[in-house]
Amino acid sequence: MAAVTQGLGATAALSSANSEKFQLTTRRSLSGRKGRFFIFESNGNPRSGLNRQINRTRQFFTNAVATKPDSAAASTLSKHGHELLLFEALREGLEEEMDRDPYVCVMGEDVGHYGGSYKVTKGLADKYGDLRVLDTPIAENSFTGMAIGAAMTGLRPVVEGMNMGFLLLAFNQISNNCGMLHYTSGGQFKIPVVIRGPGGVGRQLGAEHSQRLESYFQSIPGIQMVACSTPYNAKGLMKAAIRSENPVILFEHVLLYNLKERIPDEEYVLNLEEAEMVRPGEHITILTYSRMRYHVMQAAKTLVNKGYDPEVIDIRSLKPFDLYTIGNSVKKTHRVVIVEECMRTGGIGASLTASINENFHDYLDAPIVCLSSQDVPTPYAASLEEWTVVQPAQIVAAVEQLCQ
Amino acid sequence: MVKFTSDLKFMSEFQEERIHCYRVLDDCGQPVSDEFVQIDEETAMKMYKYMVTLQTMDTIFYEAQRQGRISFYVTAIGEEAINIASAAALHMDDLVFPQYREAGVLLWRGFTLQEFANQCFGNKYDNGKGRQMPIHYGSNKHNYFTVASTVATQVPHAVGAAYSLKMDRRDACTITYFGDGGSSTGDFHAALNFAAVMEAPVIFFCRNNGWAISTPVMDQFRSDGIVVRGQAYGVRSIRVDGNDALAVYNAVRVARKMAISECRPILIEAITYRAGHHSTSDDSSKYRPVEEIEWWRVARDPVTRFRKWIEREGWWSAPAESEIRNDIRKQVLHVIQNAEKVEKPNVGEIFTDVYDVPPSNLIDQEKSLRETIERHPQDYPPDFPTS
């Protein structure tokens, strides 16, 4: 693991990720997935919730200390692939899908010539025109409603919330119509929308722009939720979400848009319901997603130095949970720490804790520990804001406590 | 080009005169002017028959609810002209986004009486698979989008669908219906604004029937009805006599042409009266005088008014009237009896269509439910369909 964690140490600051070192982390997960690229392309349907077991070409690492990555694999990959930032990866995924299917369109505030508040849609209006990349007036409930109407008529809209928090205004349409109309119409009308945007706690954006909407949306029947965390999974999840026949909410994080990574040149689409094995281990399972993945990996570095062997899983799929991957991990390590950015009450962590307890109770040697943000609105002052979010030191302390 | 003025003058909150209301036939079914586009006998007769059918269907289904045979019902009594005439002026390719008082539009499009009954009874032939309350009809075959209970959420849907039609350059428009109450919502406001900005081919049809449950229009808004709001958003608009079938027909026909050829939204405010209660959960005599209800129901009945015109044209007669009413009444009673006997949807339908393919948690939940039913059959109705 030494090579891997070395690379991850550099990403801790989050402001600049050294692309070379990032390459080391992702290569491991890529080699496990290589076979899957072609499976997705040939059947055209990346969603294989029930067929997951067949598609898996997973390698399980049994060594506590990882060996150096396969140099052959390393050299082939460094010749191929291209480097980009996470927001560019999202754009690439979106653009590829817009090229592939003329019914895919984008709507949101300032997504057109302005290119979106985080530049995810930059250049798309020039390429596809003002109608296909639509600037909407300010009324989230209504343009989400518009997208639903368009979807029921055959389009595949990608709705951008300028900040996920603004989608609270769209709650009525998302809950009552988006999630429901396929069901209440008896399957007659489908709603293949993607709702995406930046969320999470940023740097001093204030309470209203630091919402974690996955907490509020998780109960809505009929929708799926995924959270991306790397350029690789951002592009793959974007493509999968667009191709899905169900409404999907894709959560991006304000602080992760400038992460750099080398991603494959070949087309790939990820599975919406699959979690990502970030670092296999034996002693304890750490479940996380989005930005907290990086805090966890930073804590993992410290933990390894102290002699622990944590298994880190980025759950990615927030609804439904990938209980297969999570379950296998729990059965192996018997200890679970969940690290999330949601607030303590009613967050993804709360649901995940309940789910694991219910399904894998016998395999747990200790109660699940869930590290979340406090139940407070996010303060503006930098020092205060920092401590509302789970920090690596807390993660290390929790693991040490649990592994006593 | 905005001109400057040195007059410190505020625009009045009210125009001198209220916006005029377009009508073709007066209260006695007599044409008010010589110039109107004549509709042919076939269309007029079809319209009349469907208006009678809607009226009959509403009366009998309402009674069925009172007898406890269905749980809920909403009538369109007093709004038959709006329902049928607007539907008649549209084409089948036009997409309809209803609120909940527009069953007549679906009726015109070919939804059968049996299908209406099946939905109200939520039986296994309901194409909504028993998932929605009565009157929440939906049929993609008829381009009629499933009714949702939420007020005015369909208005932005219609704009989105119009946007989709525009992208495809289709020779069709969308139409969405809502009431005077629905026009107060945020969704109405934004949808009109969007449609104007986006130049979307959508007809916004407001059924101003005077009441939003117990709230009269005086307490709903202070503008001159809904028609004046059109201009506020840059949307062409018209006020029509909603109880005049020919006026509604003409207005929608022309609106459709404008919407499609000029790619613009149109707002139609149809003035009418909700002669029935809001729904079977309401008794409107509690908040409005019974005399008022009766007067609108009898003296201003849109079906009677249209009948007077077709009788004058020589296309209709009293014997024909009683024959058709008896015939339809029999049909409606028959479909209700049929629908009542059909079994309900299978318990598995609780879990399908939430997603395109049931995820593992729903598969588990279905398994758990079925096990419970098997273990405790006495706690479930004997005719509960599990297979």
Side-chain angles (χ1 to χ4, degrees), chain A residues 47 50 52 102-107 130-150 152-155 172-173 176-177 179-189 220-224 244-247 319-321 359, chain B residues 95 97 127-129 131-132 136 138-141 143-148 150-154 156-168 170 186-191 193-194 197-198 349-361 363-364:
Chain A
R47 188 164 191 270
L50 299 177
R52 278 200 304 237
Y103 289 111
V104 179
C105 57
V106 178
M107 32 182 105
D130 287 334
L131 202 55
R132 229 179 135 188
V133 183
L134 193 64
D135 274 333
T136 63
I138 308 175
E140 278 76 7
N141 201 39
S142 310
F143 65 68
T144 307
M146 254 190 70
I148 292 167
M152 290 197 284
T153 326
L155 289 187
N172 188 26
Q173 288 284 358
N176 273 322
N177 293 325
M180 261 190 217
L181 278 167
H182 185 245
Y183 185 77
T184 58
S185 68
Q188 293 184 86
F189 299 103
I220 301 173
I223 56 153
Q224 274 189 266
S244 170
E245 298 298 301
N246 299 312
K319 184 182 169 84
F321 294 132
N359 289 291
Chain B
L95 309 175
F97 288 84
N127 65 356
K129 300 181 191 167
R131 291 180 185 141
Q132 261 291 15
H136 287 60
S139 174
N140 56 357
K141 204 171 69 178
N143 282 332
Y144 189 93
F145 286 74
T146 305
V147 174
T150 45
V151 173
T153 52
Q154 73 281 3
H157 293 177
V159 179
Y163 162 77
S164 170
L165 292 178
K166 184 176 163 161
M167 289 245 275
D168 278 347
R170 293 252 299 275
D187 272 350
F188 165 85
H189 152 80
N193 192 33
F194 278 42
V197 168
M198 256 162 262
E349 299 288 15
I350 295 176
F351 302 98
T352 51
D353 298 324
V354 183
Y355 297 97
D356 53 351
V357 169
S360 56
N361 64 324
I363 293 177
D364 285 341

Side-chain angles (χ1 to χ4, degrees), chain A residues 203-324:
Chain A
R203 295 223 190 284
Q204 301 191 273
L205 296 178
E208 300 90 343
H209 290 76
S210 309
Q211 301 272 28
R212 283 128 282 168
L213 247 57
E214 56 271 24
S215 308
Y216 307 140
F217 286 148
Q218 60 176 322
S219 277
I220 301 173
I223 56 153
Q224 274 189 266
M225 304 200 302
V226 288
C228 62
S229 50
T230 67
Y232 177 78
N233 66 34
K235 179 178 174 183
L237 291 175
M238 169 73 92
K239 289 168 73 87
I242 292 173
R243 295 188 193 189
S244 170
E245 298 298 301
N246 299 312
V248 178
I249 306 185
L250 169 57
F251 290 89
E252 300 152 18
H253 196 285
V254 281
L255 294 180
L256 299 185
Y257 282 119
N258 289 323
L259 283 180
K260 196 191 282 193
E261 188 180 356
R262 182 171 287 272
I263 66 170
D265 287 329
E266 308 89 56
E267 188 180 28
Y268 68 94
V269 182
L270 295 177
N271 187 325
L272 287 175
E273 292 113 41
E274 226 167 66
E276 191 178 312
M277 178 65 70
V278 185
R279 179 195 189 281
E282 295 289 316
H283 291 161
I284 184 169
T285 299
I286 307 182
L287 303 172
T288 183
Y289 67 94
S290 192
R291 182 192 169 211
M292 287 297 106
R293 167 188 174 135
Y294 297 94
H295 281 201
V296 167
M297 290 313 289
Q298 190 180 348
K301 180 189 163 195
T302 311
L303 287 167
V304 166
N305 289 340
K306 291 191 176 197
Y308 295 93
D309 184 28
E311 177 153 290
V312 178
I313 295 175
D314 180 337
I315 63 172
R316 266 183 8 199
S317 177
L318 307 180
K319 184 182 169 84
F321 294 132
D322 179 4
L323 289 177
Y324 179 78

Side-chain angles (χ1 to χ4, degrees), chain B residues 6 39 44 54 79 108 113 130 142 148-149 153 155 179 181 185 198 200 242 254 284 292 308 319 358 372 380:
Chain B
S6 58
I39 65 167
L54 179 60
E79 298 181 49
W108 174 274
L113 289 173
H142 299 99
S149 307
T153 52
V155 187
T185 63
M198 256 162 262
V254 174
S284 59
E292 178 187 299
K308 290 194 173 138
T372 310
Y380 291 87

Side-chain angles (χ1 to χ4, degrees), chain A residues 120-133:
Chain A
V120 172
T121 55
K122 186 162 179 215
L124 297 181
D126 288 329
K127 185 171 172 187
Y128 300 106
D130 287 334
L131 202 55
R132 229 179 135 188
V133 183

Side-chain angles (χ1 to χ4, degrees), chain B residues 194-266:
Chain B
F194 278 42
V197 168
M198 256 162 262
E199 295 168 6
V202 48
I203 300 175
F204 294 104
F205 196 107
C206 177
R207 300 177 290 96
N208 182 348
N209 63 20
W211 295 91
I213 308 190
S214 69
T215 307
V217 288
M218 175 63 175
D219 292 339
Q220 190 69 245
F221 46 70
R222 288 300 166 90
S223 51
D224 173 17
I226 287 97
V227 65
V228 287
R229 300 190 199 175
Q231 198 174 56
Y233 296 108
V235 174
R236 197 172 291 171
S237 34
I238 189 173
R239 169 174 277 158
V240 310
D241 181 348
N243 287 9
D244 177 350
L246 292 184
V248 173
Y249 179 83
N250 280 342
V252 174
R253 195 177 42 84
V254 174
R256 179 183 183 276
K257 216 181 294 178
M258 282 196 278
I260 297 174
S261 62
E262 296 175 53
C263 225
R264 59 166 63 250
I266 308 285

